[in-house]
Amino acid sequence: MGERLLLRGNEVIAEAAIRAGCQCYFAYPITPQAELLEHMANNMPRLGRTFIQAESELAAISMVYGAAGAGVRTMTSSSSPGISLKQEGISYLAGANLPCVIVNVVRGGPGLGNIAPSQCDYFQATKGGGHGDYRLIVLGPSTVPEAGELTMLAFELADQYRIPVMILADGLLGQMMEPVELPDPIDPASLPAKEWATTGAKGRAPNIILSFEMDPEGLKQINDDLQAKYRTITKNEVRYEQTDTDDADIVIAAYGTIGRICKSVVRMARAEGIKVGLFRPITLWPFPTEPLKALSERVDTILSVEMSAGQMWEDVRLAVAERAKTPFYGETGGIVPTPRSILNEVKKHVR
Amino acid sequence: MSANPKNMVKVFERPASLTDAKFTYCPGCHHGLLTRIIGNVLDELDIADRTVGIAPVGCSVFAYLWYKADSQQVPHGRACAVATGIKRARPELIVFSYQGDGDFASIGTAESIHAANRGENITVIFVNNQIYGMTGGEMAPTTLVDQKTTTTPLGRDPKVAGYPIRFSEMIATLDTPIYVTRQALFDTKHIMDTTKAIKKAFQNQVDGKGYSLVEVLSTCPTNWRMSPVQSNKHVGETVTKVFPLGDLVDRG
Ligand SMILES: Cc1ncc(C[n+]2csc(CCOP(=O)(O)OP(=O)(O)O)c2C)c(N)n1
């Protein structure tokens, strides 16, 4: 393991990307992820790697497409309005089976919204924000160290499955400083060659990167292959964390920064003798449907808590069906629910 | 006297850098001719096996089928951004984009200008046929005043739609580009000039000089509702008045 560093969430994501062997980073400035861009601007050129401040998020994601197609590890980052612009490129990347990492440090919406932390882009990230039947792997870190770990993992999963992976963070996580220990850097030259990439057709047939097929049967086959890949990912890559769920009467379902806050709520509630547990999805897609379903067999209530009007809540209700009560508590506008307000909400649902 | 095949010399053949795939272009359209020219240049410079071509959205969407070279098919207008990504990832590759006027000079305006301004070491072929061929003949930013298209049925009215945009002249105002030129294909002389320009635009990249743009005035007999012969005449007599031929920048 490398040295211990005190860094912001945004910086940790950037530093982890560098250590994962990211060779090309393209982005357009936006709050609250400016430190990520700055860390890359300060470090990528020094390492002989590419940093480009693109003319727009549309351009940045298209640059990612080119670099991913050329077979290198590549990343872009932005916040909500910028991620909306990237949706065109994300759909093309998914359709062309290109690996890359996209970071969304989510802020309040809709529209220009504000720059306060939010989880209001869950639908966009997990249900396909662009056109077509596609999925991204979506990872929701809840602490600064976990943001680093999941960024490293994102590059691995992207290459393994040839899929765009999104880190869904929020402004709070981006700005928060915590001590982290990051793994030693990976030498990009040590990564396996990508035989499908456009590296020059010397001594082989041309490689073509595309998301285009005029024949409906052909396009159906492409879609079938994508769906088969998504099933494999769903089978292998579900990640989540459970805290004190064994004897719980009520379980809070929460991800990201709110997942972390809810850990404190569990402690506070237990101190008062209320048996509360926490279920924290780490992969938001694939969503941990089966484990949550199993949990719903033995608890009365699963309370979803989010910084949104109730987006992950829909996946919770799909998993739980009618097996347990599924109330919701959320704040919008960039308001972060306090542990006290969440505890009060919990108390409404315990007998 | 009948010729003995044994004594015949091959003076014309398909460029080695092109595949056997049949072009999807209409008769008389210049896209096919231009593809051939690019194939010949790739042959002459012997670079096909380290070239990546960018197929846009438009009539040349199938461009990834024509070359014995790697290709990327990309979103409408984003070719210069994708080219940037490829070239920065692997500077040893020769990267060229091939784009229509809608792709390059309308939806891709920002990507086109900023790749030029960054001085990306790429080659851009910009096919100006003054119309959207692929989608059925709508107005392009380059459509001439009074030209009839399906979305300007009474002719382009500058009061409503502005004047045809001279995009290469805009790029030529930038300090970074190495080579910006406008060429045409309506007769043999101009085909030879275009070939020279395209060769130079690729050679600049091979030499690591920077950004080169070759705009090529092209025909669309189908959507112009003209014969191929009339179309060539139209380019030579009318289009070149609005889009004058020649080098705009040459810092090579
Ligand atoms: C985002 C998006 N908008 C619109 C289209 C539809 N479209 C396909 S080709 C085209 C115009 C192409 O015109 P041009 O670039 O001039 O090339 P040409 O077909 O004339 O060669 C349009 C509008 C698309 N594919 N994607």
Side-chain angles (χ1 to χ4, degrees):
Chain A
M1 288 295 250
E3 70 277 41
R4 240 171 119 75
L5 305 163
L6 183 68
L7 293 172
R8 275 177 219 282
N10 282 332
E11 292 160 342
V12 162
I13 293 172
E15 184 55 32
I18 289 172
R19 289 175 188 233
C22 175
Q23 281 179 282
C24 293
Y25 169 84
F26 311 98
Y28 186 83
I30 187 168
T31 310
Q33 60 87 59
E35 299 83 5
L36 208 168
L37 198 76
E38 285 162 21
H39 189 90
M40 291 308 237
N42 284 327
N43 291 284
M44 292 292 271
R46 179 174 72 72
L47 296 164
R49 302 187 191 179
T50 297
F51 168 89
I52 293 185
Q53 180 173 329
E55 57 271 30
S56 71
E57 291 85 352
L58 274 168
I61 194 75
S62 296
M63 291 173 191
V64 164
Y65 183 99
V72 305
R73 286 192 166 178
T74 178
M75 181 170 96
T76 184
S77 64
S78 188
S79 178
S80 311
I83 298 292
S84 291
L85 278 185
K86 289 189 199 291
Q87 294 304 326
E88 172 189 79
I90 292 173
S91 168
Y92 276 73
L93 283 152
N97 292 296
L98 290 179
C100 66
V101 176
I102 302 146
V103 181
N104 184 359
V105 183
V106 182
R107 60 188 246 179
L112 193 53
N114 62 21
I115 58 171
S118 174
Q119 296 182 318
C120 58
D121 296 350
Y122 178 95
F123 282 156
Q124 185 197 50
T126 62
K127 310 293 174 189
H131 58 286
D133 270 322
Y134 76 90
R135 297 285 187 176
L136 309 176
I137 294 177
V138 183
L139 306 174
S142 71
T143 65
V144 174
E146 194 182 29
E149 284 159 35
L150 292 185
T151 303
M152 303 281 297
L153 175 69
F155 281 95
E156 295 301 323
L157 294 177
D159 278 354
Q160 183 181 344
Y161 294 103
R162 289 184 62 184
I163 190 172
V165 179
M166 181 173 281
I167 307 279
L168 197 66
D170 62 68
L172 204 60
L173 187 70
Q175 298 303 319
M176 192 187 304
M177 283 184 107
E178 282 186 88
V180 289
E181 212 168 297
L182 287 166
D184 290 332
I186 295 170
D187 176 6
S190 71
L191 295 167
K194 294 170 179 170
E195 306 297 338
W196 46 264
T198 57
T199 52
K202 204 176 204 89
R204 59 157 170 78
N207 283 342
I208 296 164
I209 302 295
L210 82 173
S211 65
F212 175 58
E213 173 55 69
M214 284 297 280
D215 170 30
E217 286 300 325
L219 189 56
K220 172 183 154 38
Q221 188 57 53
I222 288 171
N223 272 282
D224 287 351
D225 294 347
L226 280 176
Q227 294 303 320
K229 170 160 86 179
Y230 299 151
R231 281 193 295 277
T232 307
I233 294 171
T234 304
K235 192 160 140 265
N236 297 342
E237 304 300 344
V238 166
R239 287 169 170 80
Y240 60 97
E241 184 191 28
Q242 297 196 84
T243 309
D244 291 340
T245 51
D246 285 351
D247 65 342
D249 297 324
I250 175 168
V251 166
I252 301 172
Y255 74 95
T257 301
I258 297 302
R260 175 201 202 136
I261 292 173
C262 288
K263 257 192 200 169
S264 316
V265 176
V266 168
R267 271 196 306 275
M268 287 159 67
R270 293 236 162 212
E272 293 185 26
I274 309 168
K275 287 183 181 166
V276 181
L278 171 66
F279 184 89
R280 182 173 71 86
I282 296 171
T283 51
L284 304 177
W285 196 91
F287 190 76
T289 302
E290 292 305 321
L292 192 59
K293 184 176 163 192
L295 195 59
S296 71
E297 311 272 5
R298 51 189 176 83
V299 300
D300 297 337
T301 304
I302 297 179
L303 169 68
S304 299
V305 182
E306 292 177 67
M307 287 192 286
S308 79
Q311 298 195 9
M312 182 195 68
W313 186 33
E314 290 197 358
D315 285 333
V316 169
R317 281 182 290 164
L318 276 172
V320 171
E322 304 290 317
R323 280 177 293 269
K325 279 182 249 135
T326 50
F328 171 74
Y329 169 54
E331 295 287 357
T332 63
I335 293 167
V336 183
T338 61
R340 184 55 54 193
S341 67
I342 299 170
L343 182 59
N344 285 342
E345 207 57 36
V346 167
K347 285 178 181 170
K348 285 187 197 164
H349 301 287
V350 285
R351 278 160 297 170
Chain B
M1 200 177 77
S2 70
N4 177 354
K6 277 191 194 136
N7 299 334
M8 291 208 306
V9 181
K10 211 175 201 180
V11 292
F12 186 82
E13 63 183 331
R14 182 183 281 271
S17 299
L18 294 189
T19 64
D20 293 336
K22 283 210 176 73
F23 289 160
T24 45
Y25 302 122
C26 305
C29 159
H30 286 168
H31 272 309
L33 184 52
L34 194 49
T35 304
R36 245 200 94 80
I37 292 172
I38 294 169
N40 276 325
V41 168
L42 296 182
D43 284 358
E44 277 184 50
L45 300 181
D46 192 21
I47 51 174
D49 64 1
R50 59 184 177 113
T51 292
V52 181
I54 307 223
V57 176
C59 288
S60 43
V61 66
F62 286 111
Y64 58 84
L65 294 173
W66 314 147
Y67 305 97
K68 288 182 191 156
D70 287 354
S71 298
Q72 295 197 16
Q73 199 292 313
V74 306
H76 193 22
R78 314 291 168 237
C80 285
V82 175
T84 299
I86 301 170
K87 189 73 183 184
R88 296 291 181 127
R90 299 200 186 274
E92 71 277 13
L93 295 175
I94 301 299
V95 182
F96 79 94
S97 77
Y98 184 101
Q99 305 176 250
D101 37 26
D103 198 83
F104 184 75
S106 184
I107 194 167
T109 298
E111 289 79 2
S112 302
I113 288 181
H114 288 277
N117 195 48
R118 282 190 305 269
E120 297 297 338
N121 186 25
I122 58 173
T123 303
V124 177
I125 312 293
F126 161 32
V127 188
N128 175 356
N129 62 4
Q130 303 102 57
I131 205 150
Y132 284 12
M134 176 82 164
T135 34
E138 298 87 353
M139 181 185 71
T142 44
T143 293
L144 305 188
V145 170
D146 292 335
Q147 184 182 337
K148 286 190 172 130
T149 70
T150 57
T151 49
T152 54
L154 303 177
R156 180 177 186 159
D157 176 357
K159 286 206 280 300
V160 178
Y163 288 86
I165 194 165
R166 281 185 281 267
F167 210 89
S168 294
E169 277 83 345
M170 280 169 53
I171 300 265
T173 65
L174 305 173
D175 292 335
T176 336
I178 294 301
Y179 181 47
V180 179
T181 187
R182 183 181 291 115
Q183 302 292 332
L185 298 166
F186 58 88
D187 64 16
T188 317
K189 176 196 175 294
H190 289 94
I191 291 173
M192 288 168 73
D193 288 351
T194 300
T195 306
K196 252 187 252 157
I198 289 180
K199 189 170 172 189
K200 179 167 171 163
F202 275 94
Q203 187 67 53
N204 282 344
Q205 186 179 168
V206 170
D207 297 343
K209 286 184 178 161
Y211 176 93
S212 297
L213 166 67
V214 183
E215 174 178 345
V216 182
L217 299 182
S218 183
T219 52
C220 183
T222 302
N223 288 301
W224 290 359
R225 308 194 195 291
M226 291 181 195
S227 72
V229 174
Q230 282 172 325
S231 298
N232 280 335
K233 197 159 169 277
H234 175 67
V235 175
E237 289 174 2
T238 308
V239 181
T240 47
K241 297 230 166 62
V242 182
F243 295 106
L245 302 181
D247 291 352
L248 293 157
V249 170
D250 189 357
R251 299 189 177 102

